[in-house]
Amino acid sequence: MFRKASVFLVLFSLIVNIALPVTVHAEGEDLIAAPHGVLMEASTGTIIYEKDKDTKVYPASITKIMTLVLIFDEIAKGTLHMEDEVTTSAYAKSMGGSQVYLEEGEKQTVETMIKCIVIASGNDASVAMAEHIAGSEAEFVKRMNERAAGLNMTGTHFEDCCGLTESTNHYTTAYDVALMSRELVTKYPKILDYSSIWMENITHNTAKGSSEFGLTNTNKLLRSYDGCVGLKTGSTSLAKYCVSEVAQRNGITLISVVMTAPDYKVRFKDAAAMLNLGFGACSLYVDENKDSLPKVPVKGSIQEKTSVSYEGDFRYLDTKGEALDHIQKKINLKKSTDAPVKKGSKAGTADYYLNGKKIGSVSLLFNETVEKAGYMDYVKKVFKTFF
């Protein structure tokens, strides 16, 4: 990457509802000193910059991003609540490295445990949550690997839930870190309320009594980079220094991943350099698609028409300085359809054009199931017509 003196970016865009992110290749001088890095726009999954993004490396505490994904998965399912109490086991207490010094038998709420994990990178809190959710860390790690496979993180394998292991079989890639970071911040943006906290106290209530403990965020860019809201740092002798940064400006959310940096200063400098590149080059067009759509006539049913809606919003990312207010939307909707109609089936598309070129589309879906009319339905219809 980056082999010419002048920096330029080629066109890139992303259309909602596609399975894999679009990649944009940037060229010019080396932007970062670390050997591995990725810059991704979160809402679209577009890669703006990459450097050796697919090489397997060691993630250290970056591992906890997937731990947090699984925690928020359980909250979303309703099987876990922020106010639930989590009891620390002897095994969780025994974790070394970065910790918040939970005692065996100590109870903390899920919300406090999340803060301990994302702010202070508590290994003990991570294991306590893993055991609470899955019964054991081993079972939780199994779920982590299954979740990673579901995100197409093909270069990742986890062996613990916190990244403390020195095992060479615990690995990931810069690209995969961006993928799981994107999953966390876009699906569960609440995490940013916690990852953006600089300092906060928690209270230990144990057999020894009550005591305050201060959490200090390991992410130094929170105080020095405009718009930084997290996400997670990591470092071990094997992994060296890594970080997944999230920053937001003007409606754009960027994820900057640095892996295997030689020291903590380089990881933050590199992350900031990629964020600067992204914010300087990117413009994001968003159509939330809240306008109403015409109903579609249904043949062969008592119900004469049925409604349709957009499958989702439309997003287009540009780095060429195009006039995005020139984007036009054209609705292509079926003039009619035959019964039966299945809810969620495709009724048409909303196609988007810029300077006469199609840049993407969003599916239009039927809102309800419409059954095919039977003989008695027609009899009833005739009866109502005349009487």
Side-chain angles (χ1 to χ4, degrees), residues 19 23 27 32 55 67 70 77 84 100-101 141 180 221 228 259 273 320 354 379 381:
T23 301
E27 299 183 9
I32 64 174
T55 296
T67 298
L70 265 63
K77 289 189 292 186
D84 289 351
V100 294
Y101 301 100
V141 171
M180 66 177 176
L221 283 194
C228 182
M259 303 298 288
K320 292 183 67 176
L354 178 59
V379 171
K381 184 176 181 179

Side-chain angles (χ1 to χ4, degrees), residues 150-259:
L151 292 174
N152 202 35
M153 294 168 57
T154 57
T156 295
H157 183 265
F158 297 114
E159 289 214 332
D160 73 6
C161 67
C162 58
L164 187 61
T165 179
E166 294 265 321
S167 170
T168 56
N169 201 36
H170 184 88
Y171 54 81
T172 188
T173 68
Y175 177 62
D176 283 0
V177 171
L179 286 179
M180 66 177 176
S181 298
R182 182 192 179 208
E183 178 74 357
L184 181 59
V185 302
T186 58
K187 193 169 185 178
Y188 307 119
K190 178 70 176 176
I191 187 62
L192 300 178
D193 293 343
Y194 302 115
S195 65
S196 58
I197 296 172
W198 175 242
M199 295 182 73
E200 185 166 316
N201 288 341
I202 65 169
T203 301
H204 289 299
N205 290 308
T206 69
K208 299 177 182 179
S210 179
S211 62
E212 293 286 311
F213 182 81
L215 306 178
T216 301
N217 208 307
T218 57
N219 187 358
K220 308 308 178 185
L221 283 194
L222 283 174
R223 295 195 300 172
S224 62
Y225 193 86
D226 180 30
C228 182
V229 288
L231 178 66
K232 194 73 198 70
T233 63
S235 63
T236 63
S237 58
L238 196 62
K240 297 185 180 180
Y241 292 85
C242 47
V243 68
S244 178
E245 294 286 4
V246 178
Q248 298 175 325
R249 292 183 190 173
N250 303 318
I252 295 176
T253 299
L254 297 180
I255 299 168
S256 180
V257 178
V258 177
M259 303 298 288

Side-chain angles (χ1 to χ4, degrees), residues 7-74:
V7 176
F8 67 92
L9 295 173
V10 297
L11 172 67
F12 66 100
S13 63
L14 182 125
I15 306 164
V16 293
N17 301 321
I18 65 175
L20 297 175
V22 174
T23 301
V24 176
H25 297 280
E27 299 183 9
E29 295 178 354
D30 281 341
L31 180 67
I32 64 174
H36 316 285
V38 167
L39 179 66
M40 176 184 285
E41 197 282 317
S43 70
T44 63
T46 304
I47 298 175
I48 303 164
Y49 171 89
E50 61 177 89
K51 181 179 179 181
D52 201 13
K53 67 179 177 66
D54 296 317
T55 296
K56 292 178 181 178
V57 294
Y58 307 113
S61 285
I62 295 286
T63 299
K64 294 183 178 78
I65 294 173
M66 183 57 77
T67 298
L68 290 163
V69 170
L70 265 63
I71 291 171
F72 277 89
D73 281 347
E74 296 300 316

Side-chain angles (χ1 to χ4, degrees), residues 84-125:
D84 289 351
E85 288 191 328
V86 179
T87 302
T88 302
S89 69
Y91 174 65
K93 177 188 181 300
S94 71
M95 294 296 107
S98 179
Q99 54 188 307
V100 294
Y101 301 100
L102 298 169
E103 292 290 335
E104 182 182 357
E106 179 179 348
K107 294 181 179 180
Q108 295 286 357
T109 66
V110 169
E111 183 173 41
T112 297
M113 289 294 196
I114 289 172
K115 291 178 182 179
C116 292
I117 294 168
V118 74
I119 300 173
S121 196
N123 296 321
D124 45 2

Side-chain angles (χ1 to χ4, degrees), residues 110-150:
V110 169
E111 183 173 41
T112 297
M113 289 294 196
I114 289 172
K115 291 178 182 179
C116 292
I117 294 168
V118 74
I119 300 173
S121 196
N123 296 321
D124 45 2
S126 297
V127 173
M129 283 302 306
E131 292 176 330
H132 183 79
I133 290 172
S136 68
E137 183 184 18
E139 176 59 29
F140 188 84
V141 171
K142 179 182 177 182
R143 297 184 190 183
M144 290 172 68
N145 286 315
E146 290 171 352
R147 193 69 162 83

